[in-house]
Amino acid sequence: MEQTERLVVALGGNAILQPGQRGTYAQQTENVRLAARQVAALVRAGYRVVVTHGNGPQVGNILLQNERAAGEVEPMPLDVCGAESQGFIGYMLVQALQAELGPERPVAALVTRTVVREDDPSFREPSKPIGPFYGEEEAARLAVERGYRLKEDAGRGWRRVVPSPEPVRIVEREAIRALVEAGVLVVAAGGGGVPVVERRLPDGRRLYEGVEAVVDKDLGAQRLAVDVGADRLLMLTDVSHAYLHYRRPDARPLERLSRTEARGLLAAGEFAEGSMGPKVRAAVRFLEAGGREAVIASLAEAERALAGATGTHVLPDAVAVRA
Ligand code: ADP
Ligand code: MG
C-alpha cells in the first residue's frame, strides 16, 4: 500500500539518555540506535517522517563544560549551546538512521530556529531550570558575574532558570517542507528549536536574534507539525500512555480522548507540568490547528501505536465521539 501520510515524530529524552546512565558516547549511540530502529520502521512502512527530539541533558552537559573551562575558552550564550546540541544529537540520529536505512536513503539534520515573541510573559518570570546544580556561594557569584537568574531546586541545590516562551513559527519551515517533498528524512527543531526573536531595524529590515531561553520540546514539535503540514504528531516517551490518576492506586491508561476531554483533564491538573503536561497540551493545540490525530506512546511501540493498538490517541471531537 502506498502511504504518503506526513508524520512528525518527537523523541523523548529516553531515546538518547536513559535515567541513571553516565551518558558516555557509547551509551548515547546505543540508545539512539534503538530509537532509529523505531523511526526506520515507520519510514519503511511508507510514512513521510520528520524527526524531532529533546536536548535537556545534552545542553546541561554543554553548559557545564562551558562553565568549567571558562578560564581558558570563552563560554557561549545559551542559544549557541542549543544549536550545538542540535548538531550533536542530529549527527548521532542521522548516522543511526542511515545505518538502518542504507546509504541510498537521503537523511539530513537541520539546525533549526523557532521564533518566539519578545513580549512573551515568560521573559518576565524565567522558570525553566537548566544545566548543573550549584552551591549557594557559586550561585551568588554567577548571578553577579553572568547575570544569571538562579533558583533553589527542591533542596538539591541552586540552578539557573531561563524563560520558556511559546513557539510562534519555525523559521526553516519552507526548507523542511521542501526536503520532505524531495523524499528526505529530516531531523529538525531539536530541543524545540533555537529560540530567536524577530527584530525590525530602523531602516525596515527584519532580522532574527538568538535569545537566552528554551522552547519546550513537545510544544516545539507541535509547532513543527503544523508548519510542515503533518497529518499526525507522534510523541514517543518512556511510558505507554498518558494516565488518569497517574501513580495512584486507581491509575488508568487513557486510550482515546477527544480534544475537549484532553483539554479538560489538562485543566484539572491530571498531567504533571514539565513532563506529561506539555505533551497533552501539544496534542490539544495540534488538533486545534487542524491536525488529524496526536499520539502519545512508548518509544518501543511506535508502529503499534500508530496502528491504534496502544498509546494515548487524542482525536478531533467529532471523530472521538463516533468511536
Ligand atoms: P520526555 O523526555 O519523553 O519528554 P518526560 O519525562 O518529560 O519525558 O515525560 C514523561 C514522563 O511523564 C513519564 O515518565 C511520567 O513519569 C511522567 N508523567 C507525569 N504525569 C503523567 C501522567 N498523567 N501519565 C503518564 N505519565 C506521566
Ligand atoms: Mg519532556
Side-chain angles (χ1 to χ4, degrees):
M1 186 191 62
E2 183 58 19
Q3 162 76 266
T4 51
E5 187 184 320
R6 279 192 193 190
L7 189 65
V8 164
V9 179
L11 299 172
N14 66 317
I16 308 160
L17 206 58
Q18 307 282 338
Q21 286 184 337
R22 188 176 145 76
T24 63
Y25 185 63
Q27 283 170 338
Q28 297 195 58
T29 41
E30 175 59 12
N31 297 331
V32 166
R33 192 174 69 79
L34 297 174
R37 182 173 293 176
Q38 296 295 322
V39 174
L42 302 179
V43 172
R44 284 194 207 98
Y47 292 99
R48 295 185 161 205
V49 178
V50 177
V51 178
T52 188
H53 57 83
N55 71 345
Q58 289 74 25
V59 164
N61 289 342
I62 291 168
L63 289 169
L64 184 59
Q65 288 169 340
N66 273 266
E67 212 69 76
R68 294 292 148 86
E72 290 174 63
V73 182
E74 191 58 26
M76 289 296 126
L78 185 55
D79 54 325
V80 177
C81 296
E84 254 183 68
S85 77
Q86 283 186 350
F88 161 28
I89 299 167
Y91 166 65
M92 287 200 299
L93 278 168
V94 292
Q95 285 281 78
L97 289 165
Q98 200 87 73
E100 285 292 326
L101 294 164
E104 302 306 323
R105 167 72 63 165
V107 176
L110 212 64
V111 173
T112 311
R113 295 161 293 170
T114 302
V115 176
V116 303
R117 261 187 280 277
E118 208 171 358
D119 62 356
D120 189 287
S122 77
F123 284 105
R124 286 195 299 275
E125 202 41 63
S127 64
K128 172 83 186 160
I130 55 156
F133 290 90
Y134 304 106
E136 196 168 353
E137 253 172 56
E138 200 179 3
R141 184 178 59 77
L142 288 167
V144 174
E145 284 180 10
R146 302 257 173 77
Y148 288 0
R149 293 276 294 261
L150 296 112
K151 272 189 188 155
E152 221 279 325
D153 191 330
R156 291 184 296 174
W158 291 72
R159 240 178 144 192
R160 185 176 174 196
V161 288
V162 295
S164 188
E166 296 282 334
V168 174
R169 179 175 82 247
I170 305 291
V171 175
E172 285 76 11
R173 61 186 176 183
E174 283 86 10
I176 299 167
R177 268 196 239 127
L179 287 168
V180 172
E181 287 302 322
V184 181
L185 169 55
V186 188
V187 179
V194 180
V196 296
V197 295
E198 202 172 3
R199 285 209 197 287
R200 198 175 284 277
L201 300 181
D203 65 4
R205 274 186 304 140
R206 293 182 315 165
L207 54 80
Y208 298 115
E209 197 170 290
V211 286
E212 302 241 11
V214 294
V215 174
D216 178 85
K217 175 261 293 173
D218 298 307
L219 298 184
Q222 182 269 322
R223 197 61 255 172
L224 175 70
V226 171
D227 283 3
V228 303
D231 301 285
R232 291 203 274 178
L233 168 60
L234 174 62
M235 290 171 272
L236 296 175
T237 184
D238 58 357
V239 284
S240 64
H241 297 81
Y243 279 75
L244 201 60
H245 308 149
Y246 186 62
R247 284 198 171 137
R248 297 213 300 261
D250 57 346
R252 180 164 76 75
L254 294 159
E255 287 168 359
R256 217 178 146 87
L257 283 177
S258 73
R259 167 172 68 91
T260 301
E261 284 169 331
R263 198 170 34 197
L265 294 173
L266 198 55
E270 283 287 344
F271 312 113
E273 275 318 319
S275 57
M276 191 49 73
K279 293 186 205 309
V280 178
R281 188 166 297 118
V284 169
R285 287 187 186 177
F286 180 60
L287 294 173
E288 281 170 355
R292 195 154 66 71
E293 182 181 5
V295 185
I296 298 164
S298 115
L299 176 61
E301 298 180 318
E303 226 183 333
R304 287 186 59 231
L306 280 181
T310 183
T312 298
H313 298 253
V314 186
L315 297 153
D317 288 347
V319 179
V321 168
R322 243 185 282 129

